[in-house]
Amino acid sequence: MRNCCHKLLLLLMSFFLAVPAPAVIAAPGSTHKHPANRLIKEKSPYLLQHAYNPVDWYPWGEEAFARARRENKLIFLSIGYSTCHWCHVMEREAFEDAEVAALMNKHYIAIKVDREERPDIDKVYMEVCQRLTGSGGWPLNIIMTPEAVPIHAATYIAKHGRYGRIGMMELLPQVAYLWQQNPDHMRKSGERILASLEQSEPQASTMITPRDLGVAVDTLQKSYDAVHGGFGMAPKFPRPHNLTFLMRRYRLSGDKKLLDMVEKTLQEMRKGGIYDHLGFGFHRYSTDVEWLLPHFEKMLYDQAGLAIAYTEAYQLTRKPDYAQTVREIFTYVQRDMTSPQGAFFTAEDADSEGVEGKFYLWTDAEIEQALGKTVAERFHKVFNVSRDGNYHDEATREKTGNNILHLSKPLRLWSGQFRMKRKDLEQELERSRSKLFSVREKRVRPHLDDKIITSWNGLMISALAKGGDVLGEPSYITAANRAADFLWTELRDDDNRLKRRYREGEAAITGFAEDYAFLARGLLDLYAATYQTRRIEQATLLAEQLVALFQDPETGTLYDTARDAEQLVMRPQSPYDGAMPSAGSVALEVYSRLYLLTGDKKWQQSAYSLLAALSPTVARYPAGYTQLLQGAALLIEPSREIVIAGDEQNASTVRMLAAVREAYTPEAVTILRTTKNADELGKLAPFVEWMKPVNGKSAAYVCQNFTCQLPLTDPVKFSAVIKKPPSASPAANAETSTGVQGRK
């Protein structure tokens, strides 16, 4: 049945003549060719980009569906986001074209959806597209019945057919003709498509084991690019959860090959064109295997995930280059992606002035003019700038004279070649970077999508909290706290439920599972950086809502949408860890960490229930679920609860907390019990009630499965203990174990 409708279309000739475009009168003083459509009332930057198309767009809602039912018209659903390059291309070629718009307006009800605002709609119809065509991407274009049943799916569609692919001018009238001739047949075809998506093969009951984690490691090793780092062939995505997963495997196994894979990847990405060497931050992905030619958009979630990966790499290796990269990512985020309220914007576009990458490219002459000939010569060598350029025209594949700045080797290795002191060269390169950055700032900037998404902000809160803690930078923790407080105040409704999006003073759209899970994890990471017990309370509330609203009590399945949310043609769920970790993966980590922090068995039960629901799917291809496996490891492998009892100002307590910050202990949670928070903490984590200073000295309790070793009062000995991974047995050292479990 695959592509059945599409095959029929290709057999038909166009039955419709081109429809003349309607007369258009622009509003007085307007610079737009066409008057505004309904999207002008929306807050989404993506929808607003299409507000002056001649297409009679509707936002997703009952008004559009009611008209489709009333007029018995098909719906043309187009899904994208404001920083999507090919979305811009299709808008210019099709949606701004009067002939295309006339066909759409006559035969269809047109609906625009911002996938970042409505990931649920995007998930449902992306599955349809992948099933019908074998691939997906954006813009995502769906033709569906008035009941929202899909009958045709495609990504980018040109105005006219080319390279064997049908164009809008052929597609639109042909599908409309088929609908007029036999709507019942098309409805049944669409229903079969949905039925095929909802059918699943019988799966044997299984539970993820440590063996599955080993299978994931083996798969990643086989796909690893030993020359350029990363995994697989072009295009290459960063996928930082693959790297954090491998670091955790290294922690437990000591297999240095795993750490080498991580470091090679981090180093090659940082040197490549995927990194913005002037303004900092990472572009979306690399179109080649070398990390040279990026897709130039910058997404908030990529900055967050990569900041976490580089932070953990620094914590593990203490190599300063990783710490510097973290600081540079945060410099970019705080400078260009932070709202006045302290929350974080969504993304920056790949295009400026209608050209992808134009903002970031340089000719050798432009650099020489800014820096002077002598300094420019050194800069050219370091950053691989040439007269011919290394950037190819997208259409002709010919060199354009433009250059993507990138490194062949780390900056510190160039001083010998130039016979300069390393410090002098570094200072010169920093001055050059600063000058070129100032020149670049005068260019037309790429579009900034300034909406605030709860889940993506949760990721950045995690990154800033972790980075600030490990690097000893309180300003990062302050930024994370500020963002968390803004979300907690402005993106919750009167029922204490989260909203998805904030823009121009409006919080809107019912929150999805990822909003609850990602923010809850951010709050737990803030607790780990600040030891403010209110962050555990807040994370607990969100986790309770995750269980109540999104998780099936019988199967354990976590859905993307709440049980009382708008009903789509199917209820989406997203277990796969793609560019971002999935809601289920992060929820599993949240449940597991809450269990370790509080000792409350309900969180252990929620975690096992979710893991049991996901395990049959994960077991088929564990390497596709590396974030989920990190949460699973907290359940199925040795983990630790560390409790430090002592006054925060006590020198010994300070040294113990510093030891926690310095040690790479992803398997552990740390709790600080002081005289000030003892009562409050006792309610959240009753098992810590008996853990107190010893003979007036701050004490550290290192526990496994809530069975604790004798308290340690020497920070040096404490540091030595936690630097070693936990053993398989919770009481492996009988001489140092109390043998007594903390009270529940």
Side-chain angles (χ1 to χ4, degrees):
M1 199 201 74
R2 184 171 177 262
N3 265 341
C4 60
C5 296
H6 184 62
K7 290 177 181 177
L8 284 172
L9 295 176
L10 294 177
L11 295 174
L12 291 170
M13 294 180 63
S14 176
F15 287 85
F16 286 57
L17 295 175
V19 182
V24 173
I25 301 176
S30 172
T31 59
H32 298 281
K33 292 173 59 178
H34 307 283
N37 56 49
R38 293 171 188 81
L39 301 185
I40 197 66
K41 297 180 181 179
E42 297 300 307
K43 293 289 187 182
S44 159
Y46 177 61
L47 269 55
L48 289 170
Q49 285 175 349
H50 292 265
Y52 289 95
N53 293 166
V55 176
D56 187 16
W57 291 114
Y58 283 81
W60 180 277
E62 177 56 26
E63 182 184 4
F65 287 99
R67 183 181 167 193
R69 293 191 296 268
R70 186 171 62 250
E71 299 181 9
N72 194 31
K73 284 185 176 180
L74 291 170
I75 290 169
F76 189 99
L77 170 67
S78 184
I79 303 173
Y81 55 104
S82 78
T83 59
C84 163
H85 170 69
W86 284 103
C87 299
H88 302 331
V89 174
M90 187 167 177
E91 181 185 18
R92 290 193 297 268
E93 293 188 359
F95 300 140
E96 290 182 348
D97 184 88
E99 291 183 307
V100 173
L103 286 174
M104 292 181 69
N105 295 341
K106 181 174 182 179
H107 301 298
Y108 298 84
I109 304 302
I111 297 178
K112 261 289 172 193
V113 167
D114 183 338
R115 67 171 294 261
E116 294 168 349
E117 286 193 338
R118 293 299 303 266
D120 55 333
I121 299 171
D122 179 61
K123 171 65 176 177
V124 167
Y125 293 106
M126 184 60 74
E127 284 198 29
V128 170
C129 184
Q130 290 171 334
R131 178 63 62 91
L132 288 179
T133 70
S135 62
W138 297 277
L140 172 61
N141 296 292
I142 303 290
I143 297 178
M144 58 190 189
T145 72
E147 298 78 29
V149 176
I151 60 175
H152 180 82
T155 53
Y156 163 79
I157 312 173
K159 179 181 178 180
H160 293 288
R162 57 193 182 196
Y163 310 121
R165 299 182 63 177
I166 196 168
M168 290 287 279
M169 293 301 294
E170 299 82 37
L171 174 71
L172 295 172
Q174 290 174 12
V175 177
Y177 175 81
L178 288 173
W179 174 253
Q180 291 173 359
Q181 295 301 303
N182 198 340
D184 290 340
H185 174 73
M186 298 191 79
R187 280 191 170 96
K188 289 177 182 177
S189 295
E191 288 166 358
R192 286 195 293 270
I193 294 170
L194 291 178
S196 71
L197 291 174
E198 293 176 339
Q199 290 174 355
S200 57
E201 298 177 9
Q203 296 178 334
S205 177
T206 185
M207 182 67 85
I208 289 295
T209 68
R211 178 184 175 280
D212 294 291
L213 279 69
V215 171
V217 169
D218 292 342
T219 303
L220 290 174
Q221 285 181 312
K222 290 175 183 176
S223 65
Y224 173 65
D225 181 348
V227 177
H228 304 293
F231 304 91
M233 302 302 290
K236 274 187 177 174
F237 290 78
R239 287 198 169 85
H241 37 272
N242 285 350
L243 304 177
T244 55
F245 169 73
L246 288 172
M247 283 188 274
R248 282 154 175 74
R249 296 296 89 204
Y250 167 73
R251 159 77 169 164
L252 206 61
S253 69
D255 185 350
K256 193 169 183 302
K257 292 194 299 291
L258 305 185
L259 181 59
D260 290 342
M261 290 164 63
V262 172
E263 289 205 75
K264 176 70 172 178
T265 301
L266 292 175
Q267 291 164 8
E268 293 299 317
M269 287 195 300
R270 175 60 180 79
K271 291 189 300 182
I274 194 175
Y275 190 71
D276 179 359
H277 292 271
L278 297 185
F280 308 140
F282 282 88
H283 297 297
R284 181 70 193 85
Y285 62 85
S286 176
T287 62
D288 56 25
V289 298
E290 302 175 26
W291 304 107
L292 170 60
L293 176 59
H295 182 44
F296 285 94
E297 64 186 312
K298 290 181 176 178
M299 314 301 290
L300 180 67
Y301 59 77
D302 285 322
Q303 314 312 317
L306 286 164
I308 290 171
Y310 280 95
T311 295
E312 294 191 0
Y314 171 70
Q315 195 175 30
L316 193 55
T317 68
R318 312 313 290 186
K319 293 182 179 179
D321 286 355
Y322 301 144
Q324 182 62 25
T325 302
V326 175
R327 292 188 178 97
E328 290 177 357
I329 292 172
F330 290 155
T331 294
Y332 162 66
V333 170
Q334 293 184 306
R335 183 190 67 229
D336 293 339
M337 298 194 74
T338 302
S339 73
Q341 301 93 337
F344 306 106
F345 298 137
T346 299
E348 283 196 299
D349 209 326
D351 299 13
S352 55
E353 301 182 82
V355 179
E356 183 178 12
K358 184 174 182 178
F359 183 73
Y360 299 100
L361 300 173
W362 294 86
T363 65
D364 64 332
E366 288 174 321
I367 293 174
E368 184 173 324
Q369 182 178 0
L371 303 182
K373 185 174 182 179
T374 301
V375 173
E377 285 179 355
R378 285 193 285 268
F379 189 91
H380 288 167
K381 289 181 180 178
V382 171
F383 287 97
N384 292 284
V385 175
S386 67
R387 185 172 299 279
D388 291 338
N390 53 43
Y391 182 72
H392 296 80
D393 180 84
E394 186 176 13
T396 66
R397 306 306 299 165
E398 294 180 357
K399 291 184 177 180
T400 62
N402 286 309
N403 291 272
I404 303 168
L405 303 184
H406 66 287
L407 300 168
S408 299
K409 55 187 178 183
L411 294 177
R412 65 178 183 277
L413 300 181
W414 281 97
S415 57
Q417 182 169 335
F418 295 134
R419 298 181 181 179
M420 294 177 66
K421 293 181 179 178
R422 176 177 167 180
K423 182 178 180 181
D424 292 340
L425 177 60
E426 288 177 346
Q427 289 176 346
E428 178 184 283
L429 290 172
E430 174 54 27
R431 287 193 299 269
S432 297
R433 185 204 66 81
S434 182
K435 286 181 181 179
L436 292 175
F437 176 77
S438 297
V439 172
R440 197 179 77 176
E441 284 293 281
K442 298 174 184 177
R443 297 175 176 176
V444 176
R445 290 192 62 87
H447 156 72
L448 171 69
D449 189 319
D450 62 354
K451 67 178 179 287
I452 292 163
I453 296 177
T454 299
S455 61
W456 299 17
N457 271 252
L459 292 175
M460 184 51 68
I461 289 167
S462 286
L464 285 162
K466 283 176 172 281
D469 191 35
V470 171
L471 300 182
E473 295 283 359
S475 64
Y476 300 154
I477 298 174
T478 298
N481 270 314
R482 189 180 176 213
D485 290 341
F486 174 80
L487 296 178
W488 197 253
T489 302
E490 300 296 335
L491 280 122
R492 290 193 306 146
D493 62 20
D494 294 339
D495 296 324
N496 290 322
R497 291 177 62 170
L498 289 178
K499 293 294 186 182
R500 169 72 172 178
R501 183 266 292 152
Y502 180 94
R503 187 170 185 269
E504 294 183 344
E506 178 192 80
I509 306 172
T510 303
F512 301 100
E514 70 173 44
D515 296 307
Y516 287 82
F518 293 7
L519 180 55
R521 186 177 71 164
L523 293 166
L524 291 179
D525 288 327
L526 259 180
Y527 173 75
T530 65
Y531 300 107
Q532 297 175 342
T533 54
R534 69 186 176 104
R535 297 306 187 191
I536 299 180
E537 294 171 347
Q538 291 170 337
T540 299
L541 175 60
L542 295 179
E544 289 171 345
Q545 291 173 310
L546 262 177
V547 173
L549 296 171
F550 298 92
Q551 197 163 356
D552 187 308
E554 295 183 2
T555 66
T557 300
L558 187 79
Y559 291 97
D560 295 340
T561 54
R563 62 187 68 234
D564 58 354
E566 175 189 359
Q567 291 189 357
L568 305 176
V569 290
M570 57 185 289
R571 192 178 181 191
Q573 52 178 305
S574 308
Y576 181 74
D577 293 321
M580 283 196 305
S582 73
S585 298
V586 177
L588 181 63
E589 179 187 335
V590 168
Y591 296 162
S592 300
R593 287 172 66 180
L594 281 174
Y595 171 59
L596 296 177
L597 283 166
T598 67
D600 191 332
K601 289 282 189 180
K602 75 177 183 182
W603 296 120
Q604 185 187 46
Q605 293 166 359
S606 294
Y608 273 120
S609 176
L610 177 55
L611 184 59
L614 293 169
S615 287
T617 300
V618 175
R620 293 178 176 181
Y621 184 67
Y625 305 88
T626 52
Q627 183 65 54
L628 184 144
L629 294 177
Q630 294 174 57
L634 295 173
L635 290 175
I636 65 177
E637 292 187 327
S639 56
R640 279 176 173 154
E641 310 88 39
I642 298 171
V643 182
I644 297 174
D647 185 77
E648 286 183 85
Q649 307 304 317
N650 183 282
S652 184
T653 304
V654 170
R655 290 174 64 192
M656 288 178 175
L657 292 175
V660 170
R661 286 196 301 272
E662 292 170 5
Y664 177 70
T665 57
E667 76 287 342
V669 297
T670 302
I671 298 171
L672 175 63
R673 185 185 187 278
T674 68
T675 53
K676 292 182 180 179
N677 72 8
D679 293 341
E680 186 178 15
L681 190 60
K683 296 175 184 177
L684 292 170
F687 78 94
V688 307
E689 287 183 8
W690 63 276
M691 298 179 185
K692 300 177 181 179
V694 175
N695 298 325
K697 295 181 179 180
S698 298
Y701 297 80
V702 180
C703 313
Q704 191 172 327
N705 195 25
F706 304 99
T707 298
C708 305
Q709 297 180 7
L710 292 171
L712 298 166
T713 57
D714 182 346
V716 175
K717 291 183 179 179
F718 167 66
S719 177
V721 168
I722 64 173
K723 284 181 178 177
K724 296 178 181 178
S727 62
S729 170
N733 189 341
E735 294 182 359
T736 61
S737 173
T738 65
V740 179
Q741 290 191 343
R743 295 191 296 275
K744 309 289 193 295

